[in-house]
């Protein structure tokens, strides 16, 4: 149970290299299960969620090799995955409990082996998060689904069949799972109201490079013509837009200036527009962003989370924290998850002025100062919001439960120290 100790009040300036996206890497790893050949992923982040997914795949029979690599002068990982045959078709409770994204093995295993058992993920800190869209879509594709002893048991003895699917919610997880399943189905699958997040585009591009026939990439209608088999490939994981957005806020909240290298501004248009409207100077190149808030008086803005290309729920907690330093009042509305203001009570302990209305919205009012405190969050992005608060608070902030941050922010303290933050990890014995 490591902690982070932050002494606030430092203006952050310099460069931060943005890692490959965790939320792209997780389904890409599972897509390797669709072929017997080797799939190599470059620009992989070194994160605990990636290690958890690797352990699950090894348990299913995948041979994994890893080595260190350098992209544009920055260290990253290359992983190769090869599954000539499956040694198990079960994703057990202990893996799924640790990481919900384990459910990405469902589509590939059912498509390739016509059978899978997956422990049903429960709800989590941010909401109930059911899997009904994943399961009903697979049923429409001919699978027989049974829920028994906490497990989904899915069978498709004749293989999956193409279907015309209309999602009632543009779910990221369901779009990825069904996209993977449909590549090896008999016939054509159409997904209407598919999610359009860039990580889905990244998955579809890699599947096509493996021999899949997917069209409509980036649009809400994906058409997948099933093929007999897929082959291996080498793929570079897209840059992490949520990590980039989080460090953009770190620059803005400390009134500093940070150049985000290996960031894709095209995937961050709504958050960057909000920052500009607040008064932050933003300069874009195709693969970098300069966020300059030096000497700026920022103005509060209202934000409502939405499906891509709307404002990402995964940046809500960070922007809410930024609004504490902006003039006026800002209304933050969360529309994707039903319980995503868990960071607010912790921010209040640091002196924030926030009024939460029900589960959906919060009014954030500007405060002169935050004060350091012992805090902890219940999820990854909320934990980053507490780090941001610590960066501007007077005195010392201790952020507990750092394992949340280790799931999704590669080398967090190193990157922040590199731009001038006073932040250290306190190692605690297990
Ligand atoms: C993914 C991201 C997460 C991000 C979220 C929304 C990964 C590993 N995680 O999560 O970081 O916050 O997208 O951008 O990529 N829903 C249903 N039934 C379903 C599926 C979803 O009701 O079968 C609901 C969920 O409860 C939620 C909403 O749809 O309220 C969106 O969920 P979804 O897009 O599926 O998010 P995840 O894939 O879980």
């Amino acid at each position: 149970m490591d902690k982070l100790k932050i002494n606030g009040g430092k203006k952050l300036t310099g460069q931060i290299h943005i890692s490959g996206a965790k939320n792209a890497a997780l389904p890409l790893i599972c897509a390797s299960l669709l072929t017997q050949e080797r799939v190599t992923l470059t620009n992989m982040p070194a994160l605990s969620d990636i290690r958890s997914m690797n352990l699950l795949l090894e348990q299913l029979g995948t041979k994994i090799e890893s080595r260190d690599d350098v992209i544009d002068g920055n260290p990253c990982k290359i992983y190769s995955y090869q599954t000539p045959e499956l040694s198990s078709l079960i994703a057990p409770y202990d893996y799924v409990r640790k990481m919900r994204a384990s459910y990405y093995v469902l589509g590939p295993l059912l498509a390739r082996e016509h059978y899978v058992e997956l422990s049903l993920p429960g709800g989590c800190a941010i909401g109930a998060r059911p899997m009904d869209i994943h399961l009903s879509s697979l049923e429409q594709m001919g699978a027989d689904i049974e829920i028994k002893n906490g497990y989904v048991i899915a069978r498709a003895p004749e293989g999956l069949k193409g279907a015309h699917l209309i999602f009632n919610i543009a779910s990221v997880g369901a779009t990825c799972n069904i996209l993977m399943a449909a590549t090896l189905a008999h016939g054509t699958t159409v997904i209407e109201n598919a999610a359009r997040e860039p990580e889905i585009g990244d998955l579809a591009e890699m599947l096509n490079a493996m021999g899949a026939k997917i069209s409509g990439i980036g649009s809400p209608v994906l058409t997948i013509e099933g093929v007999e088999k897929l082959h291996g490939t080498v793929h570079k994981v897209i840059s992490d837009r949520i990590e980039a957005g989080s460090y953009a806020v770190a620059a803005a909240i400390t009134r500093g200036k940070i150049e985000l290298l290996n960031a894709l501004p095209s995937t961050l248009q709504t958050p960057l527009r909000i920052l500009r409207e607040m008064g932050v100077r933003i300069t874009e190149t195709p693969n970098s962003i300069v966020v300059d808030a030096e000497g700026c008086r920022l103005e509060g803005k209202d934000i409502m989370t939405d499906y891509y290309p709307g404002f990402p729920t995964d940046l809500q907690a960070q922007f809410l924290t930024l609004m504490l330093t902006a003039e006026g009042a800002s209304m933050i509305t969360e529309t994707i998850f039903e319980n995503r203001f868990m960071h607010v009570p912790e921010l209040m302990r640091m002196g924030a002025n926030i009024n939460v209305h029900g589960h959906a919205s919060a009014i954030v009012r500007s405060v002169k100062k935050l004060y350091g405190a012992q805090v902890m969050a219940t999820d990854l992005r909320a934990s980053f919001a507490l780090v941001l608060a610590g960066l501007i608070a007077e005195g010392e902030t201790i952020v507990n439960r750092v394992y949340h941050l280790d799931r999704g922010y590669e080398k967090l303290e190193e990157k922040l120290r590199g731009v001038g933050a006073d932040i250290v990890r306190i190692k605690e014995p297990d």
Side-chain angles (χ1 to χ4, degrees):
M1 286 273 197
D2 295 354
K3 300 172 177 176
L4 290 177
K5 186 170 86 176
I6 305 166
N7 273 305
K10 306 274 184 298
K11 182 166 94 169
L12 304 188
T13 50
Q15 294 181 323
I16 291 181
H17 184 90
I18 301 303
S19 301
K22 165 181 87 77
N23 286 354
L26 294 171
L28 290 170
I29 293 171
C30 295
S32 74
L33 293 169
L34 288 161
T35 175
Q36 295 184 316
E37 295 179 19
R38 174 187 289 257
V39 171
T40 300
L41 298 175
T42 70
N43 196 33
M44 286 283 275
L47 294 170
S48 63
D49 267 11
I50 303 296
R51 290 189 285 277
S52 301
M53 189 62 96
N54 286 349
L55 287 175
L56 172 58
L57 261 77
E58 276 174 342
Q59 197 263 151
L60 298 173
T62 306
K63 303 276 175 288
I64 305 178
E65 285 169 19
S66 75
R67 62 188 165 89
D68 295 328
D69 190 25
V70 175
I71 292 187
D72 300 332
N74 276 281
C76 61
K77 291 263 174 208
I78 295 184
Y79 285 105
S80 291
Y81 299 86
Q82 190 162 15
T83 318
E85 57 188 49
L86 274 306
S87 55
S88 163
L89 297 175
I90 304 172
Y93 177 71
D94 273 348
Y95 291 90
V96 184
R97 179 179 59 85
K98 275 203 200 108
M99 190 188 44
R100 295 181 57 80
S102 306
Y103 65 36
Y104 281 138
V105 302
L106 179 65
L109 290 184
L110 189 57
R112 174 168 162 180
E113 298 294 319
H114 307 167
Y115 185 87
V116 55
E117 291 183 27
L118 169 86
S119 173
L120 256 185
C124 72
I126 60 175
R129 306 182 82 175
M131 280 191 75
D132 54 315
I133 305 171
H134 307 232
L135 301 183
S136 71
S137 302
L138 291 170
E139 275 178 332
Q140 290 173 72
M141 295 172 76
D144 172 34
I145 307 248
E146 193 187 353
I147 311 275
K148 214 169 149 188
N149 306 120
Y151 278 71
V152 178
I153 301 171
R155 297 179 179 83
E158 310 290 311
L160 292 169
K161 303 188 301 271
H164 192 118
L165 307 168
I166 303 175
F167 285 1
N168 60 335
I169 295 174
S171 155
V172 171
T175 305
C176 289
N177 238 334
I178 301 307
L179 195 56
M180 291 189 277
T183 55
L184 293 181
H186 304 295
T188 301
T189 300
V190 177
I191 308 175
E192 284 195 50
N193 195 26
R196 286 185 280 163
E197 271 66 3
E199 296 75 26
I200 291 163
D202 202 34
L203 173 64
E205 301 286 1
M206 183 176 93
L207 290 169
N208 276 350
M210 292 168 72
K213 292 190 174 161
I214 302 169
S215 57
I217 300 174
S219 86
V221 183
L222 291 169
T223 304
I224 309 110
E225 229 180 282
V227 295
E228 276 289 305
K229 64 193 272 196
L230 297 179
H231 51 77
T233 192
V234 178
H235 181 81
K236 181 180 172 198
V237 178
I238 192 174
S239 142
D240 194 323
R241 67 195 162 100
I242 304 301
E243 190 198 22
S246 302
Y247 288 121
V249 176
I253 203 167
T254 62
R255 303 301 190 265
K257 180 177 177 183
I258 300 180
E259 184 176 8
L260 304 168
L261 304 171
N262 188 38
L264 282 180
S266 58
T267 63
L268 276 160
Q269 284 305 303
T270 304
L272 293 181
R273 175 176 58 74
I274 302 273
L275 286 174
R276 282 194 176 101
E277 286 173 6
M278 291 179 74
V280 180
R281 292 178 293 272
I282 306 279
T283 317
E284 301 175 20
T285 74
N287 56 7
S288 75
I289 306 168
V290 178
V291 182
D292 178 5
E294 282 186 319
C296 286
R297 281 165 77 96
L298 300 187
E299 199 187 313
K301 283 281 151 205
D302 293 348
I303 291 175
M304 188 184 288
T305 62
D306 205 348
Y307 303 101
Y308 189 84
F311 189 90
T313 174
D314 285 352
L315 286 176
Q316 179 259 101
Q318 300 87 318
F319 272 70
L320 178 146
T321 309
L322 173 61
M323 294 309 171
L324 290 166
T325 70
E327 285 173 22
S330 316
M331 178 147 112
I332 312 293
T333 307
E334 172 62 53
T335 69
I336 308 294
F337 291 108
E338 58 275 25
N339 193 24
R340 216 170 188 186
F341 287 119
M342 298 296 280
H343 40 292
V344 169
E346 294 298 290
L347 291 171
M348 304 278 278
R349 295 181 53 245
M350 299 177 74
N353 181 353
I354 305 169
N355 250 315
V356 177
H357 301 265
H359 289 296
S361 61
I363 298 280
V364 183
R365 292 190 174 86
S366 162
V367 285
K368 288 213 168 58
K369 234 181 213 177
L370 293 178
Y371 298 92
Q374 286 245 17
V375 288
M376 67 166 92
T378 43
D379 76 88
L380 167 61
R381 309 304 171 182
S383 298
F384 196 93
L386 298 180
V387 170
L388 290 169
L391 289 173
I392 54 163
E394 185 179 290
E396 185 177 286
T397 298
I398 304 281
V399 180
N400 291 290
R401 296 193 181 160
V402 171
Y403 61 85
H404 285 302
L405 290 162
D406 292 338
R407 289 186 38 223
Y409 289 95
E410 186 178 23
K411 301 196 185 101
L412 172 90
E413 318 90 91
E414 226 173 276
K415 289 189 185 189
L416 282 172
R417 268 202 304 271
V419 289
D422 181 349
I423 179 170
V424 289
R425 179 179 291 245
I426 307 169
K427 290 256 178 214
E428 295 275 311
D430 287 335

